[in-house]
Amino acid sequence: MTAPLAPSKLGWLRWLLATPPCRILLLGLVFLVMMGMNTDVMTSYAAQPVKAAAHIIALCIAGFAIYIAYSHFIEQRQTSELGVSGLGRELGIGLLVGVGLYTICELALMALGIYRITGLNSWNYMLPAVAMALSSSVFEELLFRGALFLSLERWLGSWIALVVSALVFGLTHLTNPAATLEGALFIAVEAGILLAAAVMLTRRLWLSIGFHLAWNYTQSAIFSGIVSGNAPQQGLIRSTMQGPNWLTGGQFGVESSILALTVCTATGIILLRMAVKRGKIIPPCWQRQASTAASA
């Protein structure tokens, strides 16, 4: 049995693990592994959507627990970004706005005669998307906004963290089936700004989780759309969609359309303006240090 670390060494190690680069690396690796586990679960229980959702919920709980444990034991702080205060309100608003944003895009396509409803399926068709929407929203927000954005923000400030996290988030979608560079860049702008702005405004992850979950679920479970280049699944609405790729998003889905780019980016900019007005923008660490030294 190895001897326990001396207090001084333990303090040095904890400090190192709490630095932004180590935090991003360690939490990022953990959540990437868990996202792989999510994929395995959804593949294994593809014909059993209720079991798939139950397993994904368990993995989501484990993901939250790991994130909170890292904050508590390594960073020695309260996990305010996952605080229960405001959880219901912010998650609820996120869900409603996420549904609304995607529905606006589809209504515009309907008005143009591009998206046509041909019938309705049984409500059971809405079940398979539950696991997908939970997995993508929880783990991608813990990874890209919780681990990446918030770590970079503490180090480089809000604006640099927003740009870097948005680009990383968008470009990782190049690994999806039928991915395109255009689709990845659209996601970087529309979703990267919107989701980071939600965290900047509220200082919590619940609003961004709600946006993410509702968009993906509405897209797949209700409108039977393509989610970020993945193979489309039949949802509640049977439909056809024919039109130019710049309006439909082509094989990547509506995220790669000018409609989503306009609607989601505009919403993100509104949230950013609110965050600025409420003094929620964090400057880079060197500016904070200079300000502290000047006031001392």
Side-chain angles (χ1 to χ4, degrees):
M1 184 174 179
T2 57
L5 290 173
S8 59
K9 292 183 178 180
L10 186 62
W12 178 87
L13 179 62
R14 184 182 290 121
W15 172 85
L16 178 65
L17 295 177
T19 59
C22 283
R23 186 177 188 271
I24 293 169
L25 178 63
L26 293 176
L27 284 177
L29 287 174
V30 169
F31 291 140
L32 286 173
V33 169
M34 296 189 77
M35 288 165 72
M37 294 169 63
N38 287 349
T39 301
D40 291 341
V41 165
M42 288 185 285
T43 301
S44 300
Y45 295 103
Q48 300 172 284
V50 175
K51 280 191 175 182
H55 280 76
I56 294 299
I57 289 171
L59 284 169
C60 288
I61 293 172
F64 283 126
I66 290 169
Y67 189 98
I68 292 170
Y70 196 94
S71 300
H72 179 76
F73 293 108
I74 301 301
E75 299 175 283
Q76 296 186 318
R77 67 176 181 88
Q78 290 186 336
T79 317
S80 57
E81 62 267 36
L82 291 177
V84 296
S85 175
L87 186 161
R89 179 175 59 85
E90 291 168 9
L91 185 61
I93 292 172
L95 292 172
L96 289 173
V97 174
V99 170
L101 290 176
Y102 189 81
T103 301
I104 287 170
C105 294
E106 291 292 6
L107 289 176
L109 292 173
M110 288 182 200
L112 294 169
I114 293 173
Y115 183 89
R116 300 176 184 272
I117 297 175
T118 60
L120 296 176
N121 292 315
S122 166
W123 67 270
N124 292 331
Y125 280 74
M126 299 174 67
L127 293 177
V130 172
M132 176 277 296
L134 282 171
S135 171
S136 59
S137 62
V138 170
F139 281 96
E140 290 183 17
E141 291 312 301
L142 286 175
L143 173 58
F144 293 105
R145 256 59 63 180
L148 181 59
F149 172 78
L150 288 177
S151 296
L152 289 175
E153 185 184 47
R154 188 175 70 188
W155 189 17
L156 304 174
S158 298
W159 298 120
I160 296 177
L162 185 153
V163 172
V164 174
S165 64
L167 283 173
V168 173
F169 180 60
L171 293 176
T172 55
H173 286 76
L174 287 173
T175 61
N176 290 7
T180 65
L181 180 59
E182 181 182 272
L185 292 176
F186 271 46
I187 285 182
V189 175
E190 67 200 22
I193 292 175
L194 174 65
L195 297 171
V199 176
M200 291 165 66
L201 177 63
T202 63
R203 289 291 137 199
R204 285 182 288 274
L205 297 177
W206 303 120
L207 187 61
S208 66
I209 289 174
F211 285 159
H212 204 149
L213 192 160
W215 176 280
N216 283 1
Y217 184 78
T218 304
Q219 187 171 15
S220 179
I222 298 176
F223 289 99
S224 305
I226 300 170
V227 180
S228 305
N230 291 288
Q233 302 291 326
Q234 276 294 310
L236 178 65
I237 297 174
R238 292 199 304 273
S239 62
T240 62
M241 185 153 59
Q242 293 183 340
N245 287 350
W246 64 276
L247 281 173
T248 67
Q251 293 302 307
F252 196 80
V254 172
E255 291 103 325
S256 189
S257 73
I258 194 68
L259 293 172
L261 182 67
T262 301
V263 170
C264 294
T265 304
T267 305
I269 291 173
I270 291 171
L271 296 182
L272 285 178
R273 288 177 60 87
M274 293 172 65
V276 171
K277 288 182 178 180
R278 297 180 187 182
K280 298 296 184 72
I281 306 303
I282 296 177
C285 61
W286 57 87
Q287 289 186 10
R288 299 198 301 270
Q289 291 169 356
S291 178
T292 301
S295 60

